[in-house]
Each structure stands twice: as C-alpha cells, then as structure tokens.
Amino acid sequence: MTHPAQPKASHFINGEYVEDTAGTPIPVIYAATGEQIATVYAATPAIVEQALSTAKAAQKEWAKMTGTERGRVLRHAADIMRERNHDLSVLETYDTGKPLQETLVADATSGADALEYFGGLAASLTGEHIPLGEDWVYTKREALGLCVGIGAWNYPTQIACWKGAPALACGNSMVFKPSETTPLCALKVAEILIEAGAPAGVFNVVQGMGEVGGALVTDPRVDKVSLTGSVPTGKKVYAAAAEGMKHVTMELGGKSPLIIFDDADIDNAVGGAINGNFYSSGQVCSNGTRVFVQKGIKEKFLARLAERTGNAILGDPMDEATSFGPMVTENQMNIVLGYIEKGKEEGARLICGGKRADMDGYFIEPTVFADVTDDMTIAREEIFGPVMSVLDFDTEEEVVARANDTEFGLSAGVFTKDFTRAHRVIGNLEAGSCFINSYNDAPVEAPFGGVKASGVGRENSKEAIKHFSQVKSVYVRMGDVEAAF
Ligand code: NAD
C-alpha cells in the first residue's frame, strides 16, 4: 500500500504535479524507523527546462498585478496553511523525523507567518520622489525576475516559505529545489499557493541533488539565487552565481557562541542553552553550540543542565509527548557520532549523553561536553547534531575575543542581568542574528542571517524585500536639454 507521505509526483511545475521517472530515484526514509516511505525522481534536463521556461514566462504577468492582488494570494495561502497545520506538520515529521510537538508549532506555522507578513507588505513596495528644483527623479522598486531557491533539510516547509513569500511579494517567480533528503513538504507549499490563487508557474518545485541545483544556478535566465545550506556548498553556489552576475542570498552554517555571565538567571540560561542545542535534535544552523560559562557558576550550571537534559523524551515523533527526535539520516547520525568520539578522544568531559540511543531509528542522546577548549574539533566545526560544548571563561574581554575567533558569524547570545554589559557584548560580537537573555527566536518580523562565512543577505523582515527587488531611478527633465554642441 502506498504510504500517505508519497506525493502524487516528484515535481510541481506550471500549477500541476509532473513526473519523469527517467530521473535518478531518490528514496525518502523516515528517520524514526529507517523505513522507506516515498520515492521521488531527480529532475532530468527536460524537467529543469520546463520549470525554468514556465517560471520565466509566468513572472511577467505576476509582476504586472498590483501589490494588493499579489498580497491577497499570499495571505490566502497563509490561511490555508494554518487550517491544514496538523496534516502539514505530520508530513514535516515524516520528511525530517522532527517530533510533532515541534512541527505543530514551528514549521507550517512559521511558513504561514512568512506568507502573511510578506503578503501584507506587497502593496507598500513603493519608490521615492526626489525633487531637483524643477526637475525630479523618481524611483521604482522592481522585481528581480526569475529566482531560484535551494533548501537545506532541516526546515523544508519553512525554508520554501521564507524564500518563496518575499520573492513572490516583490513580483518575482521562483523555481525551488528542496534538499534531496527532505523533498516532500515544498510540494505542498506549491500546491497551496495555486489553491490560493497564484498564477500557474509562479512557484515551481523540482527535485534533485547538487547537480540539479547547479543547473538552476548557472542558467542565464535566472536573476537571483537564495541558498540555505552549508558553507562549502555556499562557496560553490556563490561563485557560480557570480559568473552570471546574479543576486544572491546565502544562509549558511554556524558555530555560534552563547555567553553566560555569572549573574545570569541560571534556569533561563539553561533553557536558552537547551533551546540553542537540542531543538530539532541540534539540526539548526543558528545553534549556540559553544556555550561559554563564567567560572563562578560553572558547576551549578552543569548540574542543572544535566538534570533538565535528562527530562528529554526520546521516542515516536508522532507521539506529541516526545520532545526529542532522531537525526535526519543514518549518515548524519554517523557524522555526529564521529564528532562525539572526537570530543572524548580530545579530552572533553562528558556530562551526559554521548552515544546512539538504544532504540530504532537514528536517535542520538542529547550530549553535553564540559571543559571544552577552543582548539578542540567539537569547538571549531559545525556538528549539526545534539552536541553542546561548554567552555569556561573569566572576563568579558576574554570571552568576546574567543567567541569571535571563528570563521562563522551566524548567531550569538548573552545571558546576564547587567543590561549595559549585555548590549556592549552583543555590540562586540561578530554575528548577524543575536539574542539577549534568550536564544533561537526567529520571528518573521526580525532580519535573519549571518556575517563572515555564515552568509550574505538577510531573510525575513523588510530586509528580505531589499534582497528580492531592485531600484530603478528615473530622471525627469522639465526644461530644454543643454549640450556642448
Ligand atoms: P548542503 O550544503 O549539503 O545542501 C544544501 C542544498 O544545496 C541542498 O538542496 C543540496 O542539494 C544543494 N546543493 C549541493 N551542492 C550544490 C551545488 N553545487 N549547486 C547547487 N546546489 C547544491 O546542506 P544540508 O546538509 O542540506 O544542510 C545543512 C547545512 O545547512 C548546515 O551547514 C546548516 O548550518 C545549514 N543551514 C543554514 C541555515 C541558515 O538559515 N543559515 C538554515 C538551515 C541549515
């Protein structure tokens, strides 16, 4: 019997599901059981061509609609997503293995927020009037054209919406390629947009590995590429986009610092460290995986952290009581287990976890290492799994320098009751998305993105509009033209 997660077909182009079984089969594995629940096929060159030519043609008409009309479609799509939140959350859980307890509140809901927010902004994307005596200049905010979105596997619904919603609000069309690991949810986003009234071809989904992504990025008809992925992939995609002088947004990896001063409220700080390391089993780009704890509260912090981490409920992700799910794939589990071994070998002190959980599926116990030093592998490389490194520090000056000593710069957090210090420390940290007495909040109203190797551009907020549109300026002369001859 066909599993309920199996989509009607692999791709969604020009308003309908499209199949081409000549493409490489991509098995979809449910991470909680290891069972294959669906198959999709990578896009063949014919499918890529169909998606790009359709999106190119659809964009012109979409951009001619008023912002109010485009916004209405996006807001209607947001309503449909919220009505179907339960089913979409179940699909997100099948796609990623994340527990339903999380997907019910963080995926389709976050996607709907983006559709609603950018739907609301669409009608207010105006230019300026710049008076110059009798003459004047006016500016227009125009769409870029055809945009390509490429997703990572941790938030398949959210990533499709965070890219699709601002792109469409500005009058662009999009071809979106989900991660080959989680290909299911973006298809539902495409289906819902059509149901909400988006013209066929405005938002298309094609499946495939890096090769399909590469074919999209290098096509001369594409005006912009927005990638969520790792730094090595980001470097390749950024370089390929530069060849064609295309706009880019790069949302890449991180190894973010979370700094806890000894005056912090311990339970809030522990809560921040848990949210910043164990949500989605640690598969979150902005995670605060280097937890710097001031020496005065170190042992108290570790004791409380171990106690609360022991309350994690590992189990069937479809059971709403489960609060901690598996790694997305067996491969990702093995990568993370490799890092845990490195942590042990290099002399970090294991506080809790540290091994694969004794159950079906790709579960790793939430793991905390203490006495981690700056040069250890687990403190330098992005692990993308439930492995928290706790490091000690003495002074503010020292911790800021150590926190910044990384190629990454996605996020940073600070816990302290001293507000002057909180703002000063955040001001000195090299990171794009920061938190004071909190960690990992990502409301659509706030810009999201990194500095240094963690990326360029910003998603969400009014900033995203700037990255999906361009300004045309028009000089208007009222008098005669003076010329030298
Ligand atoms: P990945 O870099 O392996 O793949 C990302 C996407 O790029 C996939 O869809 C993949 O098929 C595609 N791709 C790979 N090679 C390509 C190429 N040459 N040309 C075009 N496309 C190509 O990343 P992943 O393993 O899916 O996700 C994990 C990484 O993503 C982590 O580093 C994580 O930090 C990062 N991430 C960042 C954010 C953010 O917003 N900053 C969010 C989630 C994940």
Side-chain angles (χ1 to χ4, degrees):
M1 209 182 74
T2 314
H3 192 278
Q6 173 68 46
K8 277 187 219 154
S10 302
H11 319 288
F12 195 96
I13 302 172
N14 205 18
E16 52 192 35
Y17 277 97
V18 178
E19 191 55 279
D20 183 353
T21 54
T24 310
I26 302 174
V28 185
I29 310 290
Y30 182 38
T33 60
E35 164 203 13
Q36 182 170 342
I37 54 171
T39 308
V40 296
Y41 295 87
T44 55
I47 289 285
V48 170
E49 176 53 35
Q50 201 184 333
L52 289 171
S53 55
T54 297
K56 181 79 188 163
Q59 190 266 326
K60 295 262 175 300
E61 291 309 308
W62 175 243
K64 276 187 201 156
M65 287 166 63
T66 66
T68 304
E69 288 165 335
R70 288 198 302 273
R72 191 177 301 138
V73 170
L74 298 182
R75 284 183 291 108
H76 188 189
D79 291 343
I80 299 173
M81 284 194 82
R82 288 211 179 88
E83 278 161 27
R84 297 194 193 147
N85 183 41
H86 191 271
D87 288 355
L88 293 169
S89 303
V90 168
L91 188 67
E92 176 93 18
T93 292
Y94 277 131
D95 221 1
T96 61
K98 291 184 295 182
L100 200 55
Q101 190 187 92
E102 283 188 19
T103 56
L104 281 170
V105 296
D107 293 284
T109 52
S110 162
D113 282 356
L115 290 161
E116 184 176 1
Y117 177 86
F118 289 106
L121 278 186
S124 57
L125 307 179
T126 55
E128 266 189 302
H129 172 265
I130 304 163
L132 293 163
E134 282 197 345
D135 297 350
W136 75 88
V137 167
Y138 68 91
T139 65
K140 294 172 71 174
R141 187 156 285 282
E142 295 187 336
L144 298 173
L146 167 50
C147 301
V148 161
I150 300 178
W153 41 255
N154 55 349
Y155 283 83
T157 305
Q158 185 188 82
I159 293 172
C161 292
W162 280 19
K163 298 189 189 309
L168 267 53
C170 294
N172 303 285
S173 60
M174 179 165 271
V175 176
F176 184 82
K177 189 199 85 61
S179 162
E180 57 273 32
T181 307
T182 54
L184 305 177
C185 295
L187 291 166
K188 287 287 168 198
V189 174
E191 215 182 287
I192 287 170
L193 279 162
I194 287 292
E195 207 179 320
V202 158
F203 186 83
N204 310 275
V205 175
V206 297
Q207 307 293 350
M209 279 69 97
E211 201 187 333
V212 172
L216 294 171
V217 171
T218 49
D219 191 280
R221 287 165 290 188
V222 171
D223 301 290
K224 149 124 204 181
V225 180
S226 176
L227 169 81
T228 297
S230 61
V231 172
T233 303
K235 286 181 181 168
K236 279 189 225 157
V237 172
Y238 200 172
E243 248 338 277
M245 208 57 87
K246 298 175 202 295
H247 298 255
V248 294
T249 299
M250 294 283 145
E251 291 296 348
L252 309 175
K255 190 75 197 175
S256 301
L258 169 55
I259 301 173
I260 298 165
F261 285 96
D262 56 15
D263 66 341
D265 178 289
I266 291 261
D267 260 305
N268 284 333
V270 167
I274 288 173
N275 289 343
N277 281 272
F278 298 141
Y279 202 71
S280 301
S281 301
Q283 302 165 113
V284 179
C285 52
S286 50
N287 272 355
T289 46
R290 289 184 297 144
V291 180
F292 291 92
V293 182
Q294 205 164 17
K295 281 190 182 142
I297 52 158
K298 175 182 162 183
E299 291 307 327
K300 205 167 152 199
F301 175 86
L302 288 172
R304 189 73 184 114
L305 178 64
E307 187 188 333
R308 284 181 58 180
T309 302
N311 296 334
I313 300 173
L314 284 67
D316 175 4
M318 293 296 174
D319 179 345
E320 282 185 50
T322 298
S323 57
F324 189 87
M327 294 288 94
V328 72
T329 58
E330 188 173 13
N331 184 44
Q332 186 62 19
M333 176 185 73
N334 288 329
I335 291 171
V336 176
L337 289 172
Y339 276 112
I340 291 175
E341 285 318 304
K342 270 241 171 310
K344 292 176 186 168
E345 276 163 35
E346 292 179 10
R349 171 161 60 111
L350 187 65
I351 299 292
C352 56
K355 58 181 191 327
R356 185 174 180 178
D358 185 18
M359 58 203 292
D360 284 345
Y362 313 131
F363 289 83
I364 295 178
E365 292 175 356
T367 297
V368 177
F369 281 109
D371 303 341
V372 176
T373 54
D374 296 344
D375 54 340
M376 287 182 188
T377 310
I378 56 169
R380 300 221 67 82
E381 296 181 15
E382 184 184 44
I383 299 175
F384 225 58
V387 183
M388 185 192 306
S389 293
V390 178
L391 306 96
D392 320 331
F393 74 94
D394 288 302
T395 68
E396 177 184 322
E397 199 184 7
E398 168 211 337
V399 77
V400 167
R402 289 170 59 199
N404 285 336
D405 181 20
T406 167
E407 63 164 324
F408 300 108
L410 185 50
S411 289
V414 57
F415 275 83
T416 177
K417 290 201 184 97
D418 178 344
F419 259 71
T420 313
R421 176 163 65 188
H423 293 292
R424 187 174 57 234
V425 167
I426 287 294
N428 287 327
L429 289 173
E430 297 161 359
S433 301
C434 299
F435 310 92
I436 292 177
N437 292 333
S438 190
Y439 206 86
N440 261 354
D441 314 78
V444 67
E445 296 87 347
F448 181 81
V451 303
K452 293 158 75 177
S454 293
V456 292
R458 291 291 177 269
E459 297 203 295
N460 286 342
S461 79
K462 285 179 257 178
E463 288 297 315
I465 295 293
K466 293 184 195 154
H467 295 287
F468 277 107
S469 61
Q470 57 197 340
V471 173
K472 176 180 276 175
S473 76
V474 183
Y475 189 105
V476 180
R477 182 175 294 284
M478 297 299 285
D480 294 331
V481 174
E482 280 182 30
F485 51 88

